[in-house]
Amino acid sequence: MSSPTRHRVIALYKQLSYLGREYPAGADYFHKKLKSAFLKNKDLTDPAEIQKRIDLGDYICKEIEAMYHINKYRAMKKRYYEDTQAENIQKKIESTNWADGGQAKH
Amino acid sequence: MSSNLRILVACKRVVDYAVKIRVNAAGTAVETANVKHSMNPFDEIGTEQAIQIKEKSGGKVEVIAVSCGSDKSQETLRTALAMGADRAIFVESAEELQPLAVAKLLKAVVEKEKPDMVILGKQAIDDDSNQTGQMLAGLLNWPQATFASKVELAEKAMTVTREVDGGVETIKTPLPAILTTDLRLNVPRYASLPNIMKAKKKPLTKLTIADLAVDVKPRLETLKVTEPPKRQGGKLVESVDDLVDKLKNEAKVL
C-alpha cells in the first residue's frame, strides 16, 4: 500500500477538504464529491497517471482559491464601488467562467 | 530597499462578508453571536502587502500582525500568521472598541515596537468607519497614504498610488508612514494547511489595555440600528393597457 506518492495524495486530500469548508454549495456537498473523486482513482498504479491526477488536484485547489477571491472581490466591489468602471469589471468577471474548472468533473 | 524594515499590520475580526447581516432584537447592534467571523477583507489585503514587501526584500523585513478586541481576535491573528506574518500582538478588550480607541492602542503598540510602516485596511466591513488609519497618523504625527492601489518602496521612502474620486493620485512619502489599503492593491493569498499548522507555533504576545495605559472609553453612542427597507416584489401585467393603467394609478409616473 505504501508508495512514494502516498503522502502527497493525503496532503492534497486534506488541503481540498480544508478548502471545501467554505464552498458556496455547502461543505457536505463538496466533501462527497471530493471523496468519490479520490475513491474513483484509488486503484491507479501507473506513476505517470497518478502524477497527472495529483496535478489536476493542485489545479483544482488553485481554481477554488481563485473562485473564493473573486466572490469576495465582487461582494466588496458591489458594496463599496458604484461607478461604471466597477460595472465593466463586473461584467467581465461574469462573462468569464471561473467556477467551472474549480469543480471536479469526475 | 532598505534593510531591516519592520511593518505593523492591523487586522480586525469582523462578521464574514458572505453572512447575511441581521439586526438584534433590541435594534441596538448587529447580531454577532453564532455568526461566522473572518479577517476584514481590506486587512487581508494589508497583510498580503506586508508579506509581499517581505518576500521582495529576501526576508529582511519583519511583519508583525496586531489585533485589538475580544479573545477570539486571536483566530484572526493566526490567519495573518498563516499567511506569512512573523509574529503577532493581541490587545485584549472585553468591550467593543471604537476607531479612536483602536488608534490610541495602535499608537501605544507603535511606540513599543517602533515599526517603519503601519498598514491598515482602509475600513472594516462591519462599522465602515474608515477612520482608524487616519486617526493613528494624526496621533503619531506621521505622514499617511490612504486608499493605496499601488505601493513602491525605496530607501526610507515610498511612492503610493491612491484611489481618489474619478482617478488616481501618486504621492511620495518618507518613512515611517501609515498606509491604508484599497481593494485593487493586490490579491490576498489563501493560507495553506501546512502553514496554518506552522502558524500555531509562531509567537503571539498578549497585552491588556492596562499594559498600554490607554483610555478606550467610547466617545460615540449607537442610538439605533435598522435594516434597509425590504425590496417590494415585482408584478406581471397582462397587457399593454394593464401596464399603462398600473403606471398611471399605482406607480403614478404617467
Side-chain angles (χ1 to χ4, degrees):
Chain A
M1 185 60 202
S2 184
S3 77
T5 48
R6 186 177 154 81
H7 280 291
R8 187 70 193 76
V9 172
I10 292 172
L12 179 63
Y13 188 85
K14 279 185 182 168
Q15 176 70 17
L16 278 164
S17 166
Y18 163 71
L19 283 170
R21 292 195 306 188
E22 280 179 52
Y23 198 73
D28 287 342
Y29 169 85
F30 185 89
H31 202 83
K32 260 182 221 156
K33 283 240 171 189
L34 171 68
K35 198 169 176 181
S36 70
F38 270 69
L39 276 178
K40 206 170 181 177
N41 292 322
K42 73 182 167 64
D43 295 323
L44 288 183
T45 48
D46 176 17
E49 187 65 23
I50 293 172
Q51 192 54 48
K52 224 171 105 186
R53 298 286 154 189
I54 292 174
D55 290 345
L56 176 69
D58 286 338
Y59 173 75
I60 288 170
C61 280
K62 278 202 199 103
E63 288 285 305
I64 294 172
E65 281 172 24
M67 179 183 75
Y68 289 165
H69 171 255
I70 286 295
N71 281 351
K72 196 180 276 185
Y73 183 89
R74 276 171 68 179
M76 292 299 113
K77 247 333 202 207
K78 215 170 140 189
R79 264 176 233 179
Y80 296 117
Y81 304 80
E82 271 185 71
D83 54 347
T84 47
Q85 201 181 9
E87 278 164 24
N88 286 342
I89 293 170
Q90 187 117 352
K91 268 181 209 153
K92 216 171 180 181
I93 292 167
E94 272 160 15
S95 62
T96 315
N97 207 348
W98 295 92
D100 217 22
Q103 291 184 36
K105 281 176 229 69
H106 41 266
Chain B
M1 162 82 62
S2 71
S3 56
N4 301 327
L5 214 61
R6 185 175 275 182
I7 304 175
L8 196 69
V9 188
C11 312
K12 186 177 187 181
R13 177 177 180 264
V14 297
V15 173
D16 191 80
Y17 80 97
V19 170
K20 172 101 177 67
I21 299 294
R22 278 174 217 288
V23 174
N24 67 4
T28 53
V30 164
E31 193 65 70
T32 54
N34 299 323
V35 165
K36 188 186 168 203
H37 284 67
S38 56
M39 195 198 295
N40 176 30
F42 292 105
D43 292 343
E44 269 182 355
I45 295 169
T47 309
E48 174 66 31
Q49 190 58 34
I51 297 161
Q52 282 185 11
I53 293 169
K54 183 188 166 184
E55 285 171 348
K56 259 193 199 159
S57 76
K60 277 188 294 186
V61 173
E62 187 185 28
V63 179
I64 310 166
V66 58
S67 189
C68 311
S70 75
D71 218 30
K72 286 186 175 154
S73 294
Q74 291 178 76
E75 292 166 16
T76 304
L77 285 174
R78 290 290 172 204
T79 311
L81 290 170
M83 283 172 78
D86 297 291
R87 59 191 175 89
I89 298 168
F90 165 55
V91 184
E92 190 173 7
S93 164
E95 287 160 61
E96 183 145 343
L97 298 166
Q98 290 182 351
L100 181 61
V102 177
K104 284 180 179 172
L105 289 170
L106 289 177
K107 181 184 179 235
V109 173
V110 165
E111 278 161 0
K112 250 186 152 132
E113 299 290 340
K114 310 219 170 349
D116 303 277
M117 193 198 286
V118 184
I119 306 182
L120 305 94
K122 66 164 184 169
Q123 68 189 63
I125 61 164
D126 52 358
D127 57 16
D128 289 329
S129 290
N130 189 346
Q131 292 169 350
T132 311
Q134 291 88 330
M135 283 178 173
L136 179 60
L139 290 171
L140 286 165
N141 201 18
W142 281 13
Q144 56 178 317
T146 48
F147 316 126
S149 64
K150 195 177 170 202
V151 179
E152 273 172 79
L153 269 183
E155 192 73 35
K156 296 276 171 237
M158 63 176 175
T159 309
V160 179
T161 305
R162 305 178 59 226
E163 303 255 339
V164 291
D165 276 350
V168 291
E169 176 185 61
T170 308
I171 55 167
K172 194 176 171 190
T173 164
L175 295 179
I178 308 286
L179 182 76
T180 76
T181 60
D182 210 316
L183 189 59
R184 285 194 292 176
L185 183 59
N186 59 40
V187 178
R189 68 195 64 190
Y190 209 87
S192 73
L193 207 48
N195 283 347
I196 289 167
M197 294 301 160
K198 277 181 212 153
K200 289 183 181 168
K201 290 188 187 120
K202 286 189 180 174
L204 190 152
T205 317
K206 278 185 210 178
L207 295 173
T208 62
I209 286 165
D211 291 338
L212 297 171
V214 168
D215 168 23
V216 295
K217 235 181 23 234
R219 300 289 204 273
L220 303 170
E221 186 191 352
T222 304
L223 298 178
K224 205 169 91 182
V225 178
T226 49
E227 284 185 29
K230 285 217 164 53
R231 189 181 164 276
Q232 302 221 320
K235 266 185 214 156
L236 279 176
V237 287
E238 298 282 331
S239 63
V240 176
D241 290 342
D242 205 13
L243 173 67
V244 172
D245 178 60
K246 283 212 159 39
L247 286 174
K248 263 189 185 151
N249 300 321
E250 282 185 37
K252 296 202 172 25
V253 289
L254 288 180

